[in-house]
Amino acid sequence: MVQIVQVFNNNSALVDIGDHRQAIVSGKGIAFNRHKGSSIVSDKVDKIFYLDTKESQKTLYFLLKDIPIDIVTTTYEIIDYGVKKYNYNVLDYAYITLSDHILGSYQRILKGNYVENLIPDMHDQYPVEYAIANHALLVIENNLRVVFPKSEIRGIALHFINAKGNESQTVTLKKNESEDINEIVNKILNRNQIFRVDANSNYYDRFMIHLQYLAGRLDEPEDKKELNPNLEVEMRNSYPDSFEIANDIYEAIQEKLGKDLSSNELIYFIIHIQRLIQEDVKS
């Protein structure tokens, strides 16, 4: 018998499926008048998202502290689609960064202050990631009743590109290296008069999450293909201020830790910094 571990709302719950495994289930009225220990009516289950590892369970609990459950289940559905349709697996931290991204865009659209992202189009290099992101917009519209701009495909695809992994791969957070990286980044950001304020808090926190998991990725084998080198030149020309700050961070981290970073990281740094300072595109 499948028992409820936690009720999220009338339409979704966390359940125990045996063998120390859990799953998120959703369906209309599936958890109505139910509580912890209640059984689930299986024919009401529309969707199920498995949490097969302790790490994935921890990730869910982390998300539920700050992210509405509808955003969380939408994120799981998008990633689940990538896994089933394209056998595309991502590291657990993608659930955190992608849900944060969706929540931020969702809130800005509702408030009427959405600004189209200026992430370069890389669909020729990453057709699978862009196909998943394109489908993501349909899932978001169906689940959240809001239409995301087409430019969001580029932003969502980047989360998949940045967090591609395999089923057996996990990223272990390394406290010492993570603290070193954060110290470097904060010093450079402060030197450039970039601080966390209400207006940029979403982007700032997302950058910090990226950096936190960067420390855990440093010793992992690099199996992701490099981004087009022309992209670095293009972004350097378009966002010279962002490039200079990002490059300072990129070089300082390598020097401090004595490890080589993928050139992809520089691109991601530029994108994060550009979001923080909203630098005008240079023609």
Side-chain angles (χ1 to χ4, degrees):
M1 183 181 295
V2 176
Q3 291 188 326
I4 293 176
V5 175
Q6 180 179 351
V7 173
F8 297 135
N9 55 36
N10 287 341
N11 303 314
S12 60
L14 179 67
V15 298
D16 187 341
I17 56 177
D19 295 328
H20 306 290
R21 299 170 68 213
Q22 295 181 337
I24 303 171
V25 294
S26 64
K28 188 172 182 180
I30 196 170
F32 180 68
N33 277 344
R34 294 290 196 274
H35 52 78
K36 182 177 179 180
S38 296
S39 59
I40 283 290
V41 179
S42 59
D43 60 6
K44 286 190 175 183
V45 175
D46 290 332
K47 298 167 186 173
I48 182 167
F49 310 107
Y50 295 99
L51 308 173
D52 292 327
T53 65
K54 287 292 184 183
E55 191 64 33
S56 63
Q57 292 172 22
K58 289 179 183 178
T59 298
L60 174 64
Y61 295 135
F62 179 87
L63 287 172
L64 293 175
K65 288 190 288 185
D66 301 303
I67 309 290
I69 186 60
D70 288 347
I71 300 289
V72 172
T73 54
T74 295
T75 300
Y76 273 78
E77 183 172 347
I78 292 168
I79 293 177
D80 194 52
Y81 171 82
V83 172
K84 292 179 178 177
K85 177 74 174 180
Y86 297 100
N87 195 32
Y88 196 101
N89 292 290
V90 294
L91 303 175
D92 280 338
Y93 78 91
Y95 291 90
I96 298 172
T97 60
L98 182 57
S99 61
D100 177 67
H101 174 97
I102 293 172
L103 176 62
S105 296
Y106 174 79
Q107 291 175 331
R108 286 187 290 277
I109 289 171
L110 292 187
K111 292 177 181 177
N113 60 3
Y114 177 85
V115 177
E116 181 173 320
N117 75 65
L118 299 175
I119 296 171
D121 190 331
M122 298 181 285
H123 76 273
D124 288 340
Q125 289 180 270
Y126 297 97
V128 172
E129 289 84 350
Y130 272 68
I132 297 171
N134 187 63
H135 179 77
L137 265 58
L138 299 177
V139 175
I140 290 167
E141 182 176 357
N142 181 64
N143 291 0
L144 305 179
R145 305 302 180 191
V146 64
V147 177
F148 272 26
K150 290 295 184 182
S151 66
E152 280 295 299
I153 293 175
R154 301 195 299 271
I156 293 172
L158 187 64
H159 286 278
F160 284 89
I161 295 168
N162 193 25
K164 187 174 183 180
N166 57 62
E167 291 180 309
S168 62
Q169 187 178 2
T170 59
V171 170
T172 302
L173 297 184
K174 298 182 177 181
K175 184 177 180 181
N176 292 339
E177 290 187 346
S178 181
E179 289 176 350
D180 286 341
I181 290 173
N182 286 341
E183 182 179 350
I184 291 168
V185 173
N186 283 319
K187 182 177 180 180
I188 294 175
L189 291 180
N190 292 345
R191 189 170 69 214
N192 286 276
Q193 299 297 302
I194 300 174
F195 305 99
R196 186 186 187 278
V197 296
D198 288 344
N200 71 4
S201 59
N202 188 272
Y203 291 138
Y204 193 98
D205 293 342
R206 194 179 304 165
F207 188 24
M208 292 302 110
I209 291 172
H210 177 96
L211 293 167
Q212 184 180 16
Y213 281 89
L214 169 61
R217 296 197 306 269
L218 290 175
D219 293 326
E220 295 293 332
E222 181 65 43
D223 60 358
K224 293 184 290 185
K225 59 186 176 180
E226 297 291 319
L227 301 176
N228 190 325
N230 292 332
L231 180 59
E232 181 180 327
V233 176
E234 177 185 336
M235 296 191 74
R236 180 173 190 167
N237 292 335
S238 297
Y239 311 112
D241 294 340
S242 299
F243 177 87
E244 183 176 349
I245 298 168
N247 193 60
D248 284 347
I249 292 172
Y250 181 75
E251 297 292 345
I253 290 175
Q254 292 185 109
E255 181 179 353
K256 175 68 175 180
L257 302 183
K259 297 178 180 179
D260 292 331
L261 297 183
S262 162
S263 61
N264 293 355
E265 290 296 338
L266 176 58
I267 303 298
Y268 301 137
F269 290 174
I270 296 171
I271 291 169
H272 281 294
I273 297 300
Q274 189 276 326
R275 286 168 168 168
L276 283 173
I277 68 176
Q278 291 295 304
E279 179 183 1
D280 292 334
V281 180
K282 304 296 189 297
S283 56

